[in-house]
Amino acid sequence: MKIMEPLEHGSFIPLYHQLKDRLKKSIDSGSWETGDKIPSENQLMDQYNVSRNTAKKAIEELVQEGILYRIQGKGTFVAKPKLEQSLMGFYSFSKVLKDQGMNPKDIILKVNETEPDPKVREALQLDEGETVVEMKRLRCANDEPFILESSYLPKRVVSDLNQLDNVGQVSLYDLLEQKFNVVVSRAKEAFEPVLIRKEESRYLKTEEGLPALLLERIAYEVNGTPVEFCRSIVRGDRCRFYTELT
């Protein structure tokens, strides 16, 4: 078993937090790689002279953060690195994946014309009676589902629903420009933490109740007209967003 830096039992920093930090450093340094099995709770208890609750809490927090994962009856393992996305500017999920060496794939689950709910109507500044095109899709990287996404576009913008069949081969914004002469120039996004619900877990192939991010985006045309309202459930164990402060 890998010998890590000992814990400081007299420190004001809780032992579980110190142990969590030691485990994470071993992963970040490459001492443990994706798929490697980490020491069991019993082994950590013996090596660091800590209680089972301390070892269990350190591991559980790393599992919740998507750094480790458990397989029942086999142990705890190092998870795949998270997809990282900067919030410093306008971005395309497909382009982000390609830039990080992954293959993007969109699975279209539903495309239909529908009445917007009040939040969608307000976000898109729709007149009374205007309808929207709802497109629900599962966004994948290397065939692994990352995001469950519902986009709403004014029907007056998307005149032919059949044109959306190409989304997946071409990004939505590229398609809007090529087929409908709509150029998306900026977007406003809001994030909040949520827990994955049962229906979402089936699509995302993950456990119900795991942390996720609810992302809501309003995309604007060059002239400032909103042309898309999007709700996305982003897997918290596979994606990480960051910004830089200066």
Side-chain angles (χ1 to χ4, degrees), residues 4 10 26 28 37 52 58 60 63 66 81 108 123 146 169 186 188-190 197 200 216-217 222 237 239-240 245-246:
M4 294 178 287
S26 292
D28 292 341
K37 183 178 180 180
R52 182 174 298 280
E60 281 184 346
V63 170
I108 305 300
F146 274 51
Q169 289 76 45
R186 66 183 181 90
K188 180 171 67 176
E189 291 186 335
R197 296 177 295 185
E200 297 160 350
E216 292 186 337
R217 166 186 282 210
V222 175
D237 63 328
C239 299
R240 180 172 177 254
L245 305 178
T246 59

Side-chain angles (χ1 to χ4, degrees), residues 2 10 15 30 35 86 96 101 108 112-113 116 119 131 151 179 213:
K2 175 180 171 56
L15 289 174
S86 170
V96 169
I108 305 300
N112 67 298
E113 183 178 354
K119 187 166 187 177
T131 59
S151 290
K179 301 296 184 182
L213 280 175

Side-chain angles (χ1 to χ4, degrees), residues 9-124:
H9 283 258
S11 171
F12 67 91
I13 301 174
L15 289 174
Y16 84 87
H17 196 282
Q18 293 185 50
L19 180 55
K20 174 185 172 182
D21 182 63
R22 303 298 189 275
L23 294 170
K24 191 172 183 301
K25 282 182 178 178
S26 292
I27 296 168
D28 292 341
S29 68
S31 297
W32 290 328
E33 299 180 349
T34 300
D36 285 350
K37 183 178 180 180
I38 71 160
S40 67
E41 289 179 8
N42 287 338
Q43 289 174 314
L44 292 173
M45 289 165 57
D46 291 341
Q47 181 176 346
Y48 290 102
N49 190 26
V50 295
S51 69
R52 182 174 298 280
N53 283 342
T54 295
K56 183 177 182 180
K57 187 169 183 179
I59 291 174
E60 281 184 346
E61 288 204 357
L62 290 172
V63 170
Q64 289 178 349
E65 293 173 14
I67 295 171
L68 300 175
Y69 67 94
R70 286 194 176 100
I71 298 179
Q72 188 67 33
K74 293 187 176 181
T76 306
F77 302 83
V78 178
K80 297 176 184 177
K82 292 186 179 184
L83 171 70
E84 294 201 344
Q85 171 56 43
S86 170
L87 297 177
M88 296 296 288
F90 192 62
Y91 65 91
S92 159
F93 179 69
S94 298
K95 187 176 185 302
V96 169
L97 292 179
K98 289 177 181 177
D99 289 345
Q100 298 191 28
M102 300 181 184
N103 294 319
K105 178 182 178 182
D106 287 355
I107 300 173
I108 305 300
L109 304 173
K110 178 172 66 173
V111 177
N112 67 298
E113 183 178 354
T114 186
E115 294 286 336
D117 65 34
K119 187 166 187 177
V120 172
R121 183 177 297 281
E122 180 182 359
L124 294 177

